[in-house]
Amino acid sequence: LRVIIASATIDAELFRDFFNKKHRKNDADTAVILSVEGRLHPVDVFYLREPCADYVQATVDTCLRIHKKEPRGDILAFLTGQEEVLRAVSLLREHQEADDMNDIQVLPMYGTLPNSDQLKVFFAPPRGVRKIVVATNIAETSITIDGIVYVVDCGFVKLKWFTPESRMDSLVVVPVSRAAAEQRAGRAGRVRSGKVYRLYRDEDWKGLPENTPPEMRRTNLCATILHLKALGIDNVLRFDFPSPPPAKNLHAALETLYALGALDDGGNLTRPIGYALAEMPIDPMMGKMLYVASEMGCTEEILTICAMLQVQSVFSKPVSGQGQIKARIAKRDFEVAEGDLITLLNVYTAFVAEGRTKDFCGRHYLIYRNLKRAYEIRSQLENHVRNKIGLPMISCQGNVETLCRCIVAGFFPNAAYMHHSGDYRSVRGNTELNIHPQSTLYTLKPPKCVVFCELMHTTKLFMKDITVIRDEWLLELAPHYYHNATVKDSND
């Protein structure tokens, strides 16, 4: 077996040493590093003298300063997420209108941007016009934009991070690694000599981590442990990981898998649930939801929800204010009071009923490529669970309560209640949570009790992909995880 690992930012020495199994000095190496040097023009790097309080505003100010003082050449600015990108684009366009600047073209770039808007960043601007692209880290390695001479690096990135105390994954904004910062800087030297403006001090650069922390050390390990158990590796605590995860993360994952019924008292995979979850190519909580769906008679609908959760947002986010209003109105056609997962089910059902056409997606401000991908994933997943696991395909014929109960059966560890302070709190751990502004429930009367699929940490800790539930379902469907006092205390 020959394993080839390719990456622009990998810690190559770590993987070489891990896979190098020679026992004696004279033995041949079983792992080597092959480096392919890219040809870049010289790039000058500039740092701030003092830290900036608001890196989004500093990004805007730096772009405008470059435009006024530097010779021609396009600008690429890196921010951490869609909200920051849209804010920066809005501020730049305000300056453009106020100062009557006809010689700049401001363009956003992020994953849920409509295809037509994404393509604009690859087109050359009109003669005499400077292009300013404000992007997430999608522009760091995934794409190459011609004409970039100046790069503005905010110094931060959004990563998924697991908190063992709350047993929750959340998206958090953290300082960028030096390897990722160098990758961003490399975008400036593709066509000619370039300049990089880092919105942090030189001494801050020296304190940045060399590489991005490995996912093994910062994400939920439930799926990893399931796969190791299925391979016959019983003592996962002593497994030789390339980057050993924190023991607290391993313990939290084992406890979650035990609560899901995937592991028995001895830490072994259970039959049939444990082996079924290990066979599923999805998150164990989602897998448990799908497994229980066959018992509750809603496999068809839950299969669709699982597929929709595997892709990025299917709702288009136009840049213009008028476009955003129209997209918001179009989204209401699918929204329901039961929450985001049932809303996603409605979107997919309508997409299939209308013949899976681009025209339907365009009229309803939906992203065709993501819905098409969800359709493909659903077909693959259905084939897998039907033939390998033997789950029957049954529809609940629109019984929303059955669907919500089934969602609770899988995501019961992620339950939250409305606290008297006006915020949500996790039922276990009492962590303060908020409904994400893009959620279906954001503008509705806050429900008493919910479960969520993911957390995002920006200004606050936000719940995403939320479903409205009844608190008694937690006691009914997860009595081993919650007891009456827990739910009663959460209602006080």
Side-chain angles (χ1 to χ4, degrees):
L1 175 66
R2 179 174 295 170
V3 179
I4 299 174
I5 304 173
S7 173
T9 57
I10 197 172
D11 185 350
E13 287 78 12
L14 185 149
F15 280 91
R16 179 199 58 199
D17 296 342
F18 180 79
F19 286 108
N20 198 354
K21 300 302 180 184
K22 74 173 186 177
H23 301 289
R24 292 186 296 271
K25 188 175 180 180
N26 294 331
D27 290 349
D29 287 322
T30 59
V32 295
I33 297 173
L34 176 64
S35 298
V36 180
E37 295 292 335
R39 293 184 178 181
L40 291 176
H41 296 277
V43 175
D44 296 324
V45 181
F46 300 89
Y47 296 93
L48 293 180
R49 291 192 181 93
E50 298 295 332
C52 64
D54 181 351
Y55 60 78
V56 177
Q57 184 62 56
T59 297
V60 173
D61 295 341
T62 304
C63 288
L64 293 172
R65 199 175 301 118
I66 292 170
H67 179 62
K68 290 177 182 176
K69 296 185 176 181
E70 297 291 343
R72 65 183 183 84
D74 296 336
I75 304 170
L76 173 60
F78 285 98
L79 292 172
T80 70
Q82 175 192 311
E83 293 85 359
E84 292 178 358
V85 168
L86 290 176
R87 182 183 156 206
V89 167
S90 177
L91 290 171
L92 283 166
R93 287 179 176 169
E94 284 178 15
H95 282 283
Q96 185 179 12
E97 291 175 11
D99 300 337
D100 196 23
M101 300 165 64
N102 297 319
D103 54 350
I104 64 170
Q105 180 185 28
V106 183
L107 298 170
M109 186 63 189
Y110 49 85
T112 58
L113 196 65
N115 265 354
S116 56
D117 289 330
Q118 284 194 11
L119 289 173
K120 290 178 183 176
V121 305
F122 301 105
F123 299 146
R127 185 180 295 275
V129 174
R130 189 197 301 269
K131 182 168 62 179
I132 302 177
V133 179
V134 187
T136 61
N137 60 349
I138 189 176
E140 193 175 296
T141 55
S142 302
I143 60 173
T144 298
I145 303 169
D146 290 334
I148 299 298
V149 176
Y150 307 99
V151 166
V152 181
D153 178 7
C154 73
F156 291 91
V157 67
K158 195 174 285 182
L159 294 177
K160 184 175 281 191
W161 213 278
F162 180 72
T163 307
E165 291 75 20
S166 62
R167 296 188 180 89
M168 295 175 188
D169 263 331
S170 55
L171 287 168
V172 296
V173 176
V174 297
V176 73
S177 68
R178 276 189 274 178
E182 290 290 2
Q183 189 70 18
R184 292 178 177 183
R187 301 282 139 176
R190 296 296 175 96
V191 293
R192 62 180 174 86
S193 299
K195 294 183 179 180
V196 177
Y197 299 82
R198 290 177 173 157
L199 303 183
Y200 42 93
R201 300 171 302 171
D202 186 23
E203 49 265 45
D204 296 327
W205 158 261
K206 294 171 183 173
L208 292 176
E210 187 66 36
N211 297 96
T212 302
E215 280 196 45
M216 187 63 69
R217 297 186 59 82
R218 58 179 171 83
T219 56
N220 191 331
L221 296 172
C222 285
T224 302
I225 290 175
L226 266 185
H227 293 147
L228 290 175
K229 292 282 185 182
L231 290 170
I233 299 167
D234 293 324
N235 193 347
V236 294
L237 296 176
R238 293 189 178 276
F239 183 72
D240 185 19
F241 291 99
S243 301
K248 288 193 296 185
N249 291 18
L250 283 168
H251 287 143
L254 287 168
E255 289 174 8
T256 300
L257 290 172
Y258 180 75
L260 291 171
L263 299 180
D264 60 20
D265 292 345
N268 302 308
L269 282 180
T270 56
R271 290 184 185 274
I273 296 178
Y275 280 91
L277 297 191
E279 283 279 355
M280 294 185 190
I282 52 178
D283 178 82
M285 284 190 194
M286 216 176 293
K288 177 64 180 293
M289 176 177 71
L290 183 54
Y291 186 86
V292 172
S294 63
E295 300 170 359
M296 291 190 175
C298 54
T299 327
E300 293 277 4
E301 290 81 3
I302 294 299
L303 202 57
T304 297
I305 290 172
C306 289
M308 291 290 277
L309 289 173
Q310 300 305 304
V311 300
Q312 288 189 319
S313 174
V314 296
F315 298 106
S316 180
K317 306 291 189 308
V319 181
S320 68
Q322 196 64 31
Q324 290 177 18
I325 293 170
K326 289 179 179 178
R328 185 73 191 89
I329 293 170
K331 187 180 177 184
R332 288 178 188 158
D333 293 339
F334 308 104
E335 290 180 336
V336 288
E338 287 81 8
D340 300 312
L341 299 195
I342 309 301
T343 297
L344 289 176
L345 175 61
N346 290 342
V347 171
Y348 182 91
T349 303
F351 173 66
V352 173
E354 292 289 329
R356 311 197 311 271
T357 63
K358 288 184 178 180
D359 178 63
F360 169 79
C361 293
R363 284 187 283 113
H364 291 87
Y365 289 85
L366 301 172
I367 301 175
Y368 174 75
R369 69 175 183 278
N370 291 355
L371 277 166
K372 180 186 174 187
R373 179 64 182 145
Y375 181 83
E376 293 167 352
I377 290 173
R378 190 192 184 285
S379 300
Q380 294 168 8
L381 194 55
E382 178 181 348
N383 182 60
H384 183 84
V385 299
R386 188 203 294 267
N387 298 329
K388 283 202 170 184
I389 303 173
L391 297 186
M393 292 298 111
I394 313 167
S395 172
C396 65
Q397 304 300 327
N399 189 327
V400 177
E401 181 172 322
T402 299
L403 290 174
C404 292
R405 285 165 54 85
C406 188
I407 292 166
V408 172
F411 286 95
F412 62 84
N414 293 355
Y417 68 96
M418 172 53 70
H419 191 256
H420 57 74
S421 64
D423 294 315
Y424 280 91
R425 301 286 176 91
S426 58
V427 176
R428 289 192 64 157
N430 213 36
T431 305
E432 187 176 313
L433 305 170
N434 297 270
I435 293 177
H436 194 276
Q438 293 175 10
S439 170
T440 296
L441 303 175
Y442 186 69
T443 56
L444 302 180
K445 180 182 177 181
K448 181 181 174 183
C449 200
V450 299
V451 292
F452 58 88
C453 298
E454 186 181 28
L455 291 176
M456 177 181 285
H457 196 185
T458 50
T459 53
K460 297 178 181 178
L461 200 52
F462 290 107
M463 300 179 286
K464 296 186 70 180
D465 300 323
I466 307 168
T467 301
V468 179
I469 67 167
R470 298 179 193 164
D471 52 11
E472 59 262 30
W473 292 348
L474 296 173
L475 295 172
E476 179 188 344
L477 297 166
H480 57 291
Y481 199 77
Y482 296 107
H483 55 85
N484 197 46
T486 306
V487 178
K488 187 180 178 209
D489 292 345
S490 71
N491 294 332
D492 292 341

